[in-house]
């Protein structure tokens, strides 16, 4: 007896059929040894003793038969994808380490501290006996910007499922006179140092994200902070250079007026 009809759908099906067509009749056990178990072959009973048919089932190995590689209902069973039930545990948190969470909270504190110093500078230059309104305006806007940075970090902490912890803020000094440099230059040099310090802290924060393989946190820091920070450093560095050129006299007032009216033309 010869095999008249053979039907199976596997990657090697064509080669197997050609090698079996015209060969002597094979038993179920013989065919099973030819095909791997993953092919899920079935052997229906013969009818009238004439035909012997083999068919492949899709039940045991979808990948080998259909090419499906993603099975969501199986993969969501992973332990790390379990949804917590405790009310105090974040539902959104995923691959967000304790180190990253702590580093974000530290950067929030840095931003608030710098904002506090700038707010003190604003109050100083706004005094009636100092009356440098342009510098007061500049430092007030700078203070608000640093506060916005802190709030942006707080929002990101909540997005990732962390917990915001606000640390203590040091009281800044309130007097900025400097006999040699004058208060304007001294204040602007202080601002430049603070911006460089903030940039250094941001780079450390970025490094923490790298060490913990947190690509999303890296992208967030790069997009929201790093480019803006180097631009701020360049801008304040130019202000320092200009104040060094004008000295402590009448030139400071002209510099102050340029800050006061900056952006008016727009």
């Amino acid at each position: 007896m010869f095999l008249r009809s053979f039907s199976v759908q596997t990657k090697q099906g064509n080669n197997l059929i050609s090698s079996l067509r015209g060969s002597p009749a094979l038993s179920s056990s013989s065919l099973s040894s030819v095909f791997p178990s993953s092919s899920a072959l079935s052997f229906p009973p013969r009818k009238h003793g004439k035909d012997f048919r083999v068919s492949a089932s899709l039940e045991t190995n979808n990948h080998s038969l259909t090419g499906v590689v993603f099975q969501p209902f199986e993969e969501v069973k992973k332990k790390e994808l379990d949804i917590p039930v405790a009310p105090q545990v974040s539902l959104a948190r995923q691959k967000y380490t304790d180190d990253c969470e702590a580093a974000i909270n530290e950067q929030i504190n840095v931003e608030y501290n710098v904002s506090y110093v700038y707010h003190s500078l604003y109050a100083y230059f706004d005094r009636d006996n100092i009356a440098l309104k342009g510098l007061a305006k500049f430092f007030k806007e700078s203070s608000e910007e640093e506060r916005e940075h802190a709030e942006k970090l707080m929002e990101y902490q909540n997005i990732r499922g962390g917990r915001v912890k606000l640390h203590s803020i040091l009281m800044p000094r309130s007097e900025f006179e400097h006999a040699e440099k004058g208060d304007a230059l001294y204040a602007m040099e202080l601002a430049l140092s603070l911006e460089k310090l903030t940039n250094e802290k941001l780079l450390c924060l970025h490094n923490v994200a790298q060490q913990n393989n947190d690509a999303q946190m890296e992208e967030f820091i790069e997009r929201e902070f790093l480019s803006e920070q180097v631009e701020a450093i360049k801008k304040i560095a130019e202000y320092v250079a200009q104040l060094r050129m004008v000295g402590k006299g009448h030139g400071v007032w002209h510099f102050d007026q340029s800050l006061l009216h900056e952006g008016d033309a727009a």
Side-chain angles (χ1 to χ4, degrees), residues 111-245:
E111 303 291 343
Y112 271 128
N113 269 283
V114 174
S115 174
Y116 214 26
V117 174
Y118 286 161
H119 222 174
S120 182
L121 283 162
Y122 151 69
Y124 172 82
F125 286 108
D126 194 51
R127 292 178 188 173
D128 65 326
N129 61 331
I130 305 296
L132 291 172
K133 298 296 185 179
L135 284 162
K137 173 189 173 186
F138 171 77
F139 284 116
K140 182 180 181 181
E141 291 174 349
S142 297
S143 176
E144 292 170 350
E145 183 179 359
E146 298 304 322
R147 182 181 177 90
E148 289 173 1
H149 289 172
E151 291 175 351
K152 191 175 290 185
L153 288 161
M154 293 168 71
E155 290 173 3
Y156 183 77
Q157 185 79 288
N158 287 332
I159 287 172
R160 294 299 303 275
R163 291 292 178 267
V164 174
K165 295 181 180 179
L166 299 179
H167 303 296
S168 300
I169 299 176
L170 295 176
M171 183 180 70
R173 60 191 302 178
S174 58
E175 302 298 328
F176 298 95
E177 298 96 341
H178 196 282
E180 180 183 350
K181 298 179 180 179
D183 50 8
L185 176 57
Y186 175 72
M188 200 60 73
E189 287 183 345
L190 175 61
L192 180 57
S193 295
L194 287 171
E195 292 298 325
K196 287 184 175 181
L197 177 61
T198 301
N199 187 54
E200 184 177 308
K201 295 294 185 180
L202 285 169
L203 293 173
C204 290
L205 181 64
H206 188 271
N207 189 48
V208 170
Q210 281 185 320
Q211 291 175 349
N212 287 274
N213 299 317
D214 196 326
Q216 291 164 325
M217 183 169 161
E218 289 181 59
E219 187 276 334
F220 166 73
I221 298 165
E222 292 168 2
R223 169 172 42 87
E224 297 291 344
F225 295 99
L226 294 186
S227 296
E228 180 182 325
Q229 195 61 34
V230 294
E231 291 172 1
I233 290 171
K234 171 67 161 52
K235 179 179 180 179
I236 297 176
E238 291 175 349
Y239 289 165
V240 169
Q242 292 168 9
L243 284 167
R244 285 178 176 178
M245 287 187 284

Side-chain angles (χ1 to χ4, degrees), residues 90-108:
S90 168
L91 301 177
R93 188 164 185 152
Q94 183 184 26
K95 297 186 181 298
Y96 189 53
T97 66
D98 292 341
D99 288 343
C100 289
E101 181 180 358
I104 289 287
N105 282 329
E106 290 175 8
Q107 189 63 33
I108 291 170

Side-chain angles (χ1 to χ4, degrees), residues 8-20:
V8 65
Q9 216 166 0
T10 63
K11 291 182 179 179
Q12 297 87 4
N14 292 336
N15 295 334
L16 290 171
I17 290 171
S18 62
S19 62
L20 290 171

